[in-house]
Amino acid sequence: MSTGAGIDVQRQLESLIQDFRTGDPPMPVIVLHAEDAADDDRVTELVDELREGQQSHGTRLAVAPTEPPPGDLDPSAQAVRLLRDLGDSRKWGDRSASYRPYSFPRLGLVRALQDATDDPDMREHWPTAPVGTPDGNAQREQAQTQLLRILARQRWRPRRPARRNRQALLNDVQQFLPAGILGALTSLLTRPEWYVAVLAGTGLMILLAALNHVPGRAPLFLWLRRESRWFLTTTFLQSAARRQSTSVRLLRPLRSWHAIAARAYDVAEAMRGGGPFPLQLYVLALFEDLRDNHRRASWDLRGLKRPRPPVLVLRRVSRENGGIELIRAVSDVRSRRSELDPLLIVAGVAADEAPLLDRGTGTPPNGQYPRSQLRSAPSRLQQRLRHWYDEWAGNLRADQSPSRTNALPWVLRIALPHDELVQLRQADWRCVRARHRPPVAQVVWSAYSLALVLALAATVGVVHARDLHRTYCSAGLLTADRDTELRPAPGGGTECVGISTGGVRFGAHLKGGADSESGRLRDLEDLVHAENDKVTRDHPRAYVTVVYAGPLSSATVDPSLVKGAEELAGVYLAQRVVNENYRVKLRVLLANGGADMGHQLFTATAIARYAERDPTVVGVVGFGRDLQSSPAVTRRLHAAGLPVVSGTNSATYLPEDFSNWFSLAAPDEHQAEALGLVAQQLRGKDASPHALVLARDTKASQDRYTSEQAYYGREMLRDRGFRLLPSRTYRVANGKPELRLHAESICRGEDVPSVIYFAGRVEDIGPLMTQLGVEPGCANREISILTGDDLSKAKFSGTGGRDGVAPRITLYHAALAELREAASGTAFYQDAGEHLPWLEPGEATYDAPGFASGQTALSHDATRALYWAASLGDVRQSRAATWVNLRSVKLEGMATGTIDFTDAPLYGERHGHSIVLARVRRTPEGLSKAEVLCSRPAGSAEPLTVRECSIE
């Protein structure tokens, strides 16, 4: 600043700005004028220096054009001219100002109304008949229609160049961004792919934008815009309204539109009448826009990010350029309104025209200060300026009184003496310091921080989404079905395990065509889910839910799905029979324990969690493999109150340790005792023949079945008087058993065993036969191999399968399902031919490939038994009642005989399981032939005898 007055005024402005940072001080219209008319040009230069100083401090600053325009306009019209262009954000500084540019929607709406009112097409439509007459009312309606047509043509915006129209288009599109985000989030509820959600949100936003810019109509959602809400609710315009509704509601668009249309016409008529109303409406709209641009309690905290008030500079106001009238209008509007606005106006006026602003706070006419100023007697201009501002602010309440005629209470007129306007030496020029540190809100809550947060959120979201897709079988962008997970599969890759409670299909994660076992499993899943949909839709209050847990995926090293596919066929068959013949319907949920049930503990946990939120779940069918985790699985289901009915798990210890365990499979101990009848005959008259237990090594696996079989087999051979050679365990690498060294050692040893108890899996029997069939010492000897029920899954050559036995080797194995004797007394095969769509007429027999192993029959019978307990008396039973009712189950005519749990003791093994002893040997034609030695259907507790199981 080059003058002392400039330095002091600049300091006073900065002091006022510092007060604005922490509160809302009243902003005066600071009018500067010289005491001597000869110094008028110096005052104008001082105003220019103030403008440059505020621009360097980053103040939002606009300069109104005060040059007198050509033509003869009244003072009010001149004042309107000064305000019209202030609705352009570029008039308020460049991008160096803090935060984003201002927006002036209210001022733009007033300008649009002014443009429509002055439009040549509107001139001939104004009513000429008196108001209230029929002609006057009709003319008024026609004029309103024409005005709305012109406003629609203008898009309810002021006429502006094409470049600014493009900017208005972008502003209109921005209002639909929340709708697009809402559409995207809504689509995410269905867990689609991420690009579906993006397309949904983008498509909705484009649709709304296209509808918004249909030519010749008002913009979409006009009644919800902030300028429209202000237009209808401000009390300033109530005098122009003619008892029209001012209701603006989200769900009442038609009523809101009628209110806006009526208010627009009333205001247009008032603006056409001229007078002070148009000018004051412009001033009010400007103040409301600036108040909104500096509102601290806004979503973007813009008031906290703009710590400096906006400044309007009027270089030289006069009567001719409308500046005096503008200042009067500012004071009048502020006196009428109770809200404080942030606009600080700095104006210069000629000394001769200063009295036109009535009185200010300069030196009194008589040259004496008021008494309040004489007490402190400030001498420096800087001190006087602060004192004058404090006194002006304190007198606002009285000066706004209507009785104070000709008062301009919001004007702070400062008379500058000549000595303060003398230019200083350049060395004495001063630049008042201003704080340039950005506000905390601008750093923390800004577009840059938002971009950073969005980038971090997007990164976290992408990582989280990838983690969801890697962890769960069904996942969207933000959510996932947590009842199923992807777990490592034997041999590499992943498999989907858990309980399918939604749209998850385990078959979708398997390879293979429609003709393969994978295709059969996919078909069965679709059939079960279709039946479930029918049950829940047609019988929502009359069904129970049973969970089938089995091996519904396969490993790379052994891709067979025989057990899971056959068991699921039995479960589905039981579901169809029940739902067609009983009042209480059966819903079946599928749970995959993984290849060889390797993840059955997780599956049991998922079932228990789901059962907590679904009271219709009454029990579990399956878990047919005895693993190291089987006790933990049964314990977890026991804690959830879920009984388990297994078709094929032959563990001896489970019914002894857990009261919720029921099984249709003959226990390992019972199987070993039955095979002892064969071993007793094989021993013959030899005093002590040699025998060997060959078992699969289970140290690196979860298998417990083979170790249980090996233990009971060893005890059986010892009890039958065999001399036991040291037991051997073979390893399995990459899904293949390592049996060659064991075969060499067994066959080339001093004591070659005549009986081998094989405690292994069905997939290992083929390599064992191959090794023993070519090794010297075994190839030419009669050797008998005894093994458990896992061999019932084998498909020997005589039945079209893949397995066989070596010459001179006889295989004796136990099986869990006696199907031949039970076939004549059951409707199982008739039901299978009716409900399993892949079966041709006559293919459903007990020795057919899909039924011979007994897996389908056992799972069917287990499901029927659990359902019977859950629907006792044809009434839906609770989970606890189902558990109790299981000990009263006795069902005849089942696929394996009579299912009888009535003699099942607590913590003890029952009797009456179905059991078969089968023999497989090579025929003279070179084929492997399987035959039944002896059997008992389910429900018969009579023990087998040597005579019945004769090997002769």
Side-chain angles (χ1 to χ4, degrees):
M1 304 301 294
S2 62
T3 62
I7 296 174
D8 291 337
V9 173
Q10 181 74 307
R11 284 175 178 169
Q12 179 59 35
L13 290 180
E14 288 300 322
S15 176
L16 188 59
I17 290 172
Q18 293 305 316
D19 294 341
F20 181 79
R21 289 176 177 267
T22 56
D24 293 304
M27 291 296 174
V29 178
I30 299 178
V31 178
L32 304 176
H33 66 90
E35 292 181 351
D36 188 352
D39 296 327
D40 286 346
D41 292 339
R42 293 186 178 182
V43 171
T44 303
E45 294 174 0
L46 185 149
V47 172
D48 290 337
E49 290 182 353
L50 290 174
R51 173 183 56 80
E52 294 174 0
Q54 290 301 315
Q55 285 179 334
S56 64
H57 291 166
T59 300
R60 301 273 186 171
L61 186 141
V63 179
T66 54
E67 295 78 7
D72 185 15
L73 297 177
D74 63 274
S76 295
Q78 293 281 16
V80 168
R81 180 188 63 86
L82 297 178
L83 290 177
R84 280 184 60 88
D85 292 336
L86 296 182
D88 187 353
S89 60
R90 293 174 297 177
K91 297 290 185 180
W92 293 87
D94 54 17
R95 294 183 179 272
S96 62
S98 63
Y99 201 41
R100 61 184 182 182
Y102 283 150
S103 61
F104 296 93
R106 297 164 186 84
L107 191 59
L109 178 59
V110 174
R111 287 190 57 190
L113 283 172
Q114 181 75 64
D115 291 342
T117 302
D118 297 338
D119 193 282
D121 294 342
M122 190 65 199
R123 293 175 184 172
E124 61 183 15
H125 290 85
W126 292 111
T128 57
V131 177
T133 63
D135 291 341
N137 293 336
Q139 292 177 3
R140 191 174 186 276
E141 291 180 1
Q142 294 176 359
Q144 179 177 329
T145 302
Q146 179 64 17
L147 179 69
L148 295 178
R149 186 179 296 114
I150 296 174
L151 285 171
R153 187 173 63 200
Q154 297 177 189
R155 308 295 303 157
W156 284 70
R157 295 188 182 279
R159 290 192 293 268
R160 59 184 68 194
R163 178 182 179 277
R164 296 182 66 187
N165 283 329
R166 290 194 297 269
Q167 183 66 31
L169 172 63
L170 295 177
N171 292 335
D172 284 342
V173 172
Q174 289 177 3
Q175 68 178 319
F176 304 119
L177 183 60
I181 296 175
L182 180 61
L185 293 178
T186 303
S187 66
L188 284 177
L189 296 178
T190 60
R191 293 202 303 270
E193 298 295 336
W194 65 269
Y195 55 84
V196 175
V198 173
L199 289 176
T202 305
L204 178 60
M205 190 168 62
I206 292 175
L207 176 62
L208 292 177
L211 294 176
N212 183 71
H213 289 85
V214 174
R217 63 176 303 279
L220 201 62
F221 301 145
L222 173 66
W223 78 97
L224 295 180
R225 289 181 175 180
R226 51 184 173 174
E227 61 267 30
S228 299
R229 293 196 301 269
W230 165 81
F231 190 57
L232 288 178
T233 57
T234 177
T235 59
F236 189 86
L237 298 179
Q238 287 294 334
S239 59
R242 299 181 180 177
R243 297 183 180 179
Q244 297 289 341
S245 171
T246 59
S247 175
V248 180
R249 297 181 182 179
L250 175 63
L251 302 180
R252 302 292 295 272
L254 186 60
R255 183 174 180 179
S256 302
W257 165 250
H258 287 323
I260 293 176
R263 177 60 58 84
Y265 181 77
D266 289 335
V267 172
E269 277 192 329
M271 295 181 72
R272 178 169 171 261
F277 174 75
L279 174 59
Q280 293 189 6
L281 182 58
Y282 271 97
V283 172
L284 176 65
L286 176 64
F287 286 169
E288 292 295 329
D289 282 331
L290 290 176
R291 285 181 63 244
D292 188 48
N293 281 301
H294 282 268
R295 181 175 287 111
R296 290 183 173 89
S298 57
W299 70 269
D300 57 350
L301 303 180
R302 50 185 174 269
L304 298 176
K305 297 175 186 178
R306 293 165 173 159
R308 302 179 70 86
V311 176
L312 175 62
V313 176
L314 304 172
R315 296 183 69 246
R316 177 70 67 85
V317 297
S318 64
R319 184 185 295 274
E320 289 77 12
N321 61 20
I324 300 294
E325 200 66 26
L326 173 60
I327 292 176
R328 288 180 178 274
V330 167
S331 186
D332 291 342
V333 171
R334 282 178 170 174
S335 296
R336 285 188 58 183
R337 305 291 291 175
S338 60
E339 299 90 348
L340 292 174
D341 64 83
L343 181 63
L344 175 62
I345 299 178
V346 178
V349 65
D352 295 339
E353 294 191 354
L356 295 176
L357 295 173
D358 191 47
R359 56 188 179 81
T361 320
T363 304
N366 55 7
Q368 302 294 325
Y369 287 99
R371 184 171 300 177
S372 60
Q373 295 187 26
L374 290 174
R375 285 198 294 266
S376 56
S379 58
R380 292 181 52 83
L381 179 61
Q382 178 185 356
Q383 297 172 338
R384 295 200 303 271
L385 287 173
R386 186 65 193 182
H387 190 80
W388 290 342
Y389 174 79
D390 293 340
E391 185 175 359
W392 167 83
N395 291 333
L396 273 180
R397 289 170 293 186
D399 285 347
Q400 292 187 69
S401 300
S403 61
R404 299 294 298 271
T405 59
N406 297 327
L408 295 180
W410 286 89
V411 174
L412 176 59
R413 184 156 58 87
I414 301 174
L416 302 177
H418 173 78
D419 57 342
E420 295 286 348
L421 292 173
V422 175
Q423 189 172 17
L424 303 174
R425 294 180 305 172
Q426 191 169 0
D428 295 332
W429 290 11
R430 295 289 182 267
C431 180
V432 180
R433 286 183 171 272
R435 292 178 57 184
H436 287 282
R437 186 177 65 183
V440 176
Q442 188 173 349
V443 177
V444 176
W445 191 255
S446 65
Y448 300 104
S449 61
L450 179 61
L452 178 61
V453 170
L454 291 178
L456 292 176
T459 302
V460 172
V462 170
V463 173
H464 181 62
R466 292 187 62 185
D467 183 63
L468 290 178
H469 282 81
R470 291 176 178 177
T471 303
Y472 300 102
C473 306
S474 176
L477 187 63
L478 300 175
T479 60
D481 183 345
R482 298 179 183 271
D483 291 323
T484 52
E485 289 188 8
L486 295 172
R487 293 294 180 93
T494 59
E495 55 185 345
C496 179
V497 298
I499 178 172
S500 175
T501 59
V504 174
R505 299 291 187 271
F506 297 115
H509 297 266
L510 301 174
K511 297 179 180 179
D515 298 332
S516 64
E517 294 171 351
S518 301
R520 176 66 52 81
L521 181 62
R522 286 191 285 268
D523 293 340
L524 283 168
E525 278 194 285
D526 292 339
L527 291 172
V528 170
H529 282 282
E531 189 69 17
N532 288 342
D533 293 340
K534 187 186 302 182
V535 167
T536 55
R537 182 182 64 252
D538 300 337
H539 309 277
R541 297 182 181 276
Y543 71 88
V544 293
T545 301
V546 168
V547 180
Y548 164 69
L552 301 180
S553 58
S554 59
T556 306
V557 294
D558 181 23
S560 175
L561 280 165
V562 172
K563 181 176 177 63
E566 292 187 356
E567 285 187 343
L568 184 54
V571 173
Y572 169 68
L573 182 58
Q575 183 186 27
R576 286 297 303 272
V577 172
V578 163
N579 290 340
E580 288 188 1
N581 297 280
Y582 294 91
R583 189 185 72 84
V584 178
K585 306 304 178 182
L586 177 61
R587 171 174 170 250
V588 175
L589 294 181
L590 306 183
N592 181 24
D596 295 333
M597 299 298 289
H599 298 289
Q600 66 173 0
L601 182 56
F602 167 78
T603 301
T605 303
I607 293 173
R609 284 200 307 260
Y610 177 75
E612 291 176 357
R613 59 183 192 265
D614 187 354
T616 67
V617 178
V618 294
V620 181
V621 171
F623 287 109
R625 186 146 187 164
D626 186 16
L627 302 177
Q628 298 293 341
S629 59
S630 292
V633 167
T634 313
R635 186 177 299 108
R636 182 68 181 90
L637 297 175
H638 184 282
L642 292 170
V644 184
V645 181
S646 178
T648 59
N649 194 325
S650 59
T652 301
Y653 62 92
L654 287 176
E656 296 175 351
D657 296 341
F658 300 98
S659 60
N660 66 321
W661 182 266
F662 300 83
S663 180
L664 306 187
D668 296 329
E669 185 177 6
H670 292 192
Q671 295 182 36
E673 291 175 358
L675 288 171
L677 301 175
V678 175
Q680 182 177 341
Q681 299 177 65
L682 292 174
R683 179 187 172 200
K685 298 181 181 179
D686 193 342
S688 55
H690 290 91
L692 173 71
V693 175
L694 178 63
R696 179 187 268 206
D697 185 1
T698 60
K699 293 180 180 179
S701 70
Q702 299 185 47
D703 188 19
R704 187 167 177 170
Y705 165 81
T706 55
S707 60
E708 294 283 315
Q709 285 279 335
Y711 171 76
Y712 290 115
R714 186 182 302 109
E715 293 299 314
M716 179 270 294
L717 292 174
R718 181 179 291 112
D719 293 342
R720 296 303 186 274
F722 286 86
R723 285 188 293 172
L724 293 176
L725 298 174
S727 300
R728 291 182 173 274
T729 57
Y730 64 91
R731 296 175 60 250
V732 177
N734 297 322
K736 300 298 181 182
E738 297 179 347
L739 289 166
R740 180 172 182 175
L741 295 180
H742 292 289
E744 292 177 355
S745 178
I746 292 171
C747 298
R748 298 179 185 182
E750 295 182 1
D751 300 314
V752 179
S754 60
V755 174
I756 298 176
Y757 193 96
F758 178 67
R761 291 291 182 178
V762 62
E763 56 266 23
D764 302 338
I765 195 66
L768 176 63
M769 291 294 179
T770 300
Q771 300 294 336
L772 296 180
V774 298
E775 281 295 331
C778 291
N780 298 318
R781 289 177 61 93
E782 294 289 341
I783 297 178
S784 298
I785 296 179
L786 308 180
T787 186
D789 65 88
D790 202 59
L791 263 293
S792 62
K793 295 183 291 186
K795 295 182 179 180
F796 296 104
S797 299
T799 57
R802 62 190 178 189
D803 303 303
V805 294
R808 305 182 67 84
I809 292 181
T810 303
L811 174 68
Y812 299 91
H813 71 86
L816 300 178
E818 206 306 314
L819 303 178
R820 182 178 56 183
E821 291 186 25
S824 60
T826 182
F828 171 76
Y829 301 101
Q830 178 183 349
D831 294 334
E834 181 179 352
H835 298 301
L836 298 181
W838 59 85
L839 292 178
E840 298 294 335
E843 288 186 354
T845 59
Y846 71 89
D847 57 351
F851 300 96
S853 68
Q855 307 285 330
T856 303
L858 288 166
S859 63
H860 167 271
D861 291 358
T863 306
R864 294 288 298 273
L866 183 56
Y867 169 78
W868 189 93
S871 60
L872 186 62
D874 212 15
V875 176
R876 184 172 64 176
Q877 303 290 308
S878 66
R879 190 177 305 162
T882 300
W883 188 343
V884 174
N885 294 340
L886 274 170
R887 299 196 180 276
S888 61
V889 168
K890 186 173 183 179
L891 296 175
E892 297 185 0
M894 293 293 100
T896 59
T898 300
I899 307 303
D900 187 0
F901 291 155
T902 58
D903 65 341
L906 282 173
Y907 304 105
E909 182 50 63
R910 69 183 183 92
H911 295 275
H913 301 91
S914 174
I915 191 169
V916 176
L917 291 185
R919 176 173 60 188
V920 185
R921 53 186 173 179
R922 184 73 70 92
T923 65
E925 292 80 14
L927 300 177
S928 296
K929 180 181 180 181
E931 57 184 338
V932 175
L933 286 179
C934 55
S935 63
R936 285 284 186 272
S940 175
E942 183 181 354
L944 294 170
T945 64
V946 173
R947 183 177 179 180
E948 287 180 287
C949 303
S950 174
I951 63 175
E952 296 299 331

